[in-house]
Amino acid sequence: MKSIRQQLEEAVSQALVQVVGPEGSEIDPVVRPTQDPRFGDYQSNVALGLAKRLGRKPREIAESLVEALQLSGMCEAPEIAGPGFINFKLRTDFLTEQVQKLQADPYLGAERASQPRRVVVDYSSPNVAKEMHVGHLRSTIIGDSIARLLDFQGHDVLRLNHIGDWGTQFGMLIQYLREENPEAVENPEAFHVQELEQFYRAAKARFDADPGFQERARKAVVDLQSGDPQARILWTALCAESMRHAQEVYDLLGIAVGSGSGQLQTRGESFYNPLLPEVVSGLEQQGMLVEDQGAACVFLEGWTNKEGQPLPMIVRKSDGGYNYDTTDLAGIRHRIGVEHADRIIYVTDVRQSNHFQMVFQAARKAGWVPEQVSLEHVGFGMVLGEDKKPFKTRSGDTVKLVDLLHEAQERSYAVVDQDEARRGELTEAQKREIARVVGISSVKYADLSHNAASDYVFDWDTMLALEGNTAPYMLYAYARVRSIGRKAGVDFDQLPADLPIVLEHESEIALAKELLNFTGVVQQTARELRPHHLTDYLYTLSRAFSTFYDRRHGVRIIDAEPEAVRMSRLRLCDLTARTLKTGLGLLGIEVLEQM
């Protein structure tokens, strides 16, 4: 199903062709939801923008557009307000017909891609030889949500976990282990990730303070890239231990990892190592390569350093090694040439924006990216503590992601256990399962409900609250709707797919409108790659249901009469529960049948 907004936009565009001429089809119809329901459901102010162009008063243009509009089955007669705003009020019989169609639709009206694209989503990217920390949370769950959403639309999605296992930092660690911990060379499998972190910190301090060690570490990278047996043994063991730890985090977050369809597949920088010389030679063939102080560089238009001098993009260092720029260029070539990607999405820290813009520009200039292929960077902000500084432990250390997720479950369990003391209805296993779902969901939902590009403050009290736009509230809303079916003695899953829908009360009509907004929100979220649009919608839907269910402002449901009205209202409950479950699923959040 097309969204209601889409249908209105198409109708206004057709009217624009009649009023303006063929070029009217290229004009934005400027259809938006109204801010005040007294003025209808949607509004277009396109007439105001056409006044100067057509040399006519906006209201006259609006009147011409209204005369040309073909909306009799969808809206009441459009009204013109103020200087030329066109207001649209949806007909109740139209809403009824549209909701009727949702019943048998597993996608709840969400429009499927007419021409599915091959999409590569690059996300998570934990550091080798370091524990995943809170900074990896955003990349992992934002990327997972984007991949789920595009999958839902019918696109062919390849999920890639690009880990840095081949650069200077890895050479630094290998060289430190060689010099300071020879036993690690003999038995690298014995190290646990926490011990690797200690070595990493020590190696970084040595690297920063000792120019000689810097040089040896860079040579260790070249050893690794050229196949030195000792370097490869260390590399293999350290990568395996790092990914073992990462798997623990992925299991907690509900991220499927593996090689199958729909799973996050790991490819390190090493995967692209054989392709790196081709990147450099390809740039040279295009006349883009410039030697600068022994390094092979690309200078792109519009990029300068702080002194205003041309900023080099180094693709081969003076020692013959490669870097992130080279690897990412190789990645683009592989994803287009071998994976046949039409859309490539990178989910990383917003501070890497310049890096990706330069890589994208260089790849297009080299002719490696067909015009129809889109390259997109989804940059996310930082997770902050209450002091508005990067989120740290009380001792000032980086917050380990596994510790954070375990704490979320324990905090959630304390709330569940306290409530259980009053009710005495749940077993210990049930309480633990509720605490697991609520705790993990609270962390994920709190993150996804913020604009990805913005920083946000991590606050336990807010994210675990049962009120407001939080996971506990959304999970409770779903469980409450499902409980209505049980109390009514009705199995929602067994209701007829063509149950007659009755929309009479204003709360029924308002809920129906929100249910029909799902397809538009899915489209917007997939277009902008901003999951917070979906969280905002789900919260609005749950609020509309609360009003519908409220005896003071809504309607009777379980004991409603006549039976046709009762069953219609139970179907609205079912559609609400299905939409909440589907929407939360697109965010990677489980639901609970009981809370």
Side-chain angles (χ1 to χ4, degrees):
M1 291 171 57
K2 292 182 178 178
S3 69
I4 292 174
R5 181 169 168 177
Q6 268 186 306
Q7 295 178 58
L8 287 171
E9 287 175 338
E10 289 179 0
V12 174
S13 291
Q14 292 170 7
L16 282 166
V17 171
Q18 294 187 46
V19 173
V20 179
E23 63 271 25
S25 62
E26 304 298 324
I27 298 173
D28 183 354
V30 201
V31 175
R32 305 286 186 270
T34 58
Q35 298 298 312
D36 189 334
R38 292 178 301 172
F39 298 112
D41 299 301
Y42 290 86
Q43 184 180 81
S44 172
N45 64 355
V46 65
L48 278 67
L50 290 173
K52 184 176 181 180
R53 175 174 175 173
L54 300 181
R56 298 170 58 188
K57 294 181 179 180
R59 194 173 182 89
E60 291 178 2
I61 299 172
E63 290 170 352
S64 299
L65 289 171
V66 167
E67 290 179 9
L69 282 167
Q70 302 290 323
L71 287 170
S72 58
M74 184 177 182
C75 299
E76 306 291 350
E79 297 181 352
I80 301 172
F85 299 107
I86 304 173
N87 295 327
F88 305 98
K89 181 176 178 58
L90 300 171
R91 292 171 58 98
T92 302
D93 56 350
F94 168 77
L95 292 171
T96 302
E97 178 186 351
Q98 297 293 299
V99 174
Q100 197 87 34
K101 295 177 181 178
L102 296 182
Q103 297 187 74
D105 185 355
Y107 298 98
L108 297 163
E111 192 173 19
R112 301 275 285 168
S114 57
Q115 295 181 317
R117 304 177 75 186
R118 173 67 163 168
V119 186
V120 174
V121 185
D122 181 325
Y123 61 99
S124 192
S125 302
N127 301 104
V128 174
K130 296 178 70 176
E131 288 190 71
M132 290 180 73
H133 56 74
V134 71
H136 295 116
L137 173 70
R138 304 211 74 185
S139 178
T140 303
I141 64 175
I142 293 170
D144 180 58
S145 179
I146 288 171
R148 288 170 182 264
L149 186 69
L150 296 173
D151 245 342
F152 182 72
Q153 287 191 311
H155 296 289
D156 179 14
V157 181
L158 172 61
R159 299 156 164 86
L160 288 183
N161 189 10
H162 183 96
I163 63 170
D165 64 349
W166 213 242
T168 301
Q169 291 182 333
F170 214 96
M172 172 186 75
L173 184 58
I174 288 176
Q175 190 59 30
Y176 184 82
L177 291 173
R178 282 171 169 173
E179 296 182 10
E180 301 295 331
N181 299 86
E183 67 275 13
V185 178
E186 299 298 326
N187 188 24
E189 294 86 354
F191 284 92
H192 194 271
V193 69
Q194 285 90 347
E195 294 173 311
L196 294 180
E197 281 231 359
Q198 296 172 11
F199 288 127
Y200 185 91
R201 291 194 193 97
K204 183 66 167 64
R206 177 88 173 272
F207 185 87
D208 291 340
D210 184 348
F213 179 76
Q214 286 184 21
E215 184 62 27
R216 294 193 297 277
R218 292 190 176 99
K219 288 182 179 178
V221 177
V222 177
D223 290 344
L224 178 62
Q225 294 174 348
S226 61
D228 176 77
Q230 185 190 71
R232 288 294 178 91
I233 290 172
L234 285 169
W235 170 75
T236 300
L238 300 183
C239 285
E241 170 58 15
S242 298
M243 294 314 297
R244 183 206 61 76
H245 162 73
Q247 186 64 55
E248 181 183 358
V249 175
Y250 291 141
D251 288 343
L252 287 170
L253 288 172
I255 308 297
V257 181
S259 58
S261 175
Q263 296 184 318
L264 180 59
Q265 302 179 31
T266 298
R267 286 186 190 168
E269 292 172 330
S270 54
F271 176 87
Y272 302 101
N273 186 56
L275 310 178
L276 302 184
E278 298 176 14
V279 169
V280 177
S281 62
L283 292 170
E284 188 173 21
Q285 291 170 14
Q286 294 295 323
M288 295 172 59
L289 217 57
V290 177
E291 184 174 326
D292 185 17
Q293 300 181 33
C297 305
V298 172
F299 289 90
L300 298 166
E301 183 178 354
W303 295 94
T304 57
N305 59 22
K306 294 179 180 179
E307 289 74 35
Q309 300 172 334
L311 182 66
M313 176 180 173
I314 301 174
V315 293
R316 187 180 62 215
K317 297 181 285 188
S318 57
D319 61 5
Y322 303 100
N323 58 18
Y324 297 133
D325 293 329
T326 329
T327 304
D328 282 331
L329 285 169
I332 288 176
R333 295 186 72 185
H334 187 272
R335 293 168 188 187
I336 293 173
V338 177
E339 301 293 354
H340 308 295
D342 301 305
R343 186 181 188 187
I344 306 176
I345 301 166
Y346 298 81
V347 185
T348 74
D349 191 314
V350 71
R351 290 171 294 183
Q352 295 185 38
S353 177
N354 285 348
H355 161 73
F356 281 105
Q357 294 310 314
M358 290 185 77
V359 169
F360 295 166
Q361 187 176 335
R364 288 194 181 278
K365 185 176 180 180
W368 299 336
V369 185
E371 186 175 348
Q372 72 274 14
V373 174
S374 59
L375 304 174
E376 302 166 62
H377 175 233
V378 179
F380 53 82
M382 299 179 68
V383 181
L384 306 177
E386 293 181 0
D387 57 1
K388 304 297 176 66
K389 296 179 180 179
F391 192 35
K392 301 282 186 181
T393 64
R394 290 183 177 179
S395 62
D397 294 330
T398 300
V399 178
K400 302 294 190 291
L401 191 46
V402 68
D403 294 340
L404 183 80
L405 297 176
H406 284 311
E407 182 175 355
Q409 293 177 79
E410 290 305 314
R411 285 176 176 264
S412 179
Y413 178 82
V415 175
V416 174
D417 193 46
Q418 183 181 29
D419 187 50
E420 166 63 7
R422 294 194 298 268
R423 295 188 292 113
E425 299 173 357
L426 302 175
T427 66
E428 178 66 15
Q430 288 173 323
K431 288 190 290 186
R432 285 293 176 186
E433 176 61 9
I434 291 173
R436 180 189 69 81
V437 174
V438 172
I440 300 299
S441 297
S442 295
V443 173
K444 295 174 76 171
Y445 192 92
D447 191 298
L448 294 169
S449 64
H450 290 83
N451 188 328
S454 303
D455 299 340
Y456 76 92
V457 175
F458 191 94
D459 183 342
W460 285 116
D461 291 338
T462 298
M463 67 177 56
L464 289 169
L466 272 169
E467 296 295 331
N469 191 11
T470 66
Y473 176 83
M474 298 307 307
L475 295 173
Y476 176 74
Y478 172 80
R480 180 177 62 173
V481 181
R482 293 288 290 178
S483 73
I484 292 172
R486 293 192 292 270
K487 291 176 182 177
V490 170
D491 183 347
F492 285 156
D493 298 331
Q494 298 302 317
L495 290 176
D498 57 352
L499 198 68
I501 298 297
V502 180
L503 300 179
E504 296 176 338
H505 193 273
E506 61 181 0
S507 67
E508 290 176 306
I509 295 171
L511 179 58
K513 290 175 181 176
E514 287 303 331
L515 289 168
L516 292 169
N517 281 338
F518 180 62
T519 180
V521 171
V522 167
Q523 291 168 357
Q524 180 186 17
T525 307
R527 183 176 61 251
E528 299 181 15
L529 304 178
R530 293 286 184 253
H532 76 276
H533 293 310
L534 185 53
T535 61
D536 289 348
Y537 164 75
L538 294 174
Y539 180 58
T540 301
L541 173 63
S542 65
R543 294 286 296 265
F545 182 83
S546 292
T547 301
F548 166 74
Y549 182 61
D550 189 328
R551 288 291 182 89
R552 294 169 298 172
H553 306 290
V555 296
R556 304 181 79 87
I557 299 175
I558 296 174
D559 57 354
E561 295 181 349
E563 183 65 8
V565 170
R566 176 176 179 268
M567 295 306 294
S568 172
R569 290 174 181 172
L570 286 170
R571 173 58 88 194
L572 290 177
C573 291
D574 171 47
L575 288 172
T576 300
R578 286 169 55 192
T579 305
L580 289 174
K581 183 177 182 178
T582 301
L584 289 169
L586 294 177
L587 298 171
I589 292 175
E590 298 178 64
V591 294
L592 291 164
E593 295 295 319
Q594 181 181 7
M595 277 187 69

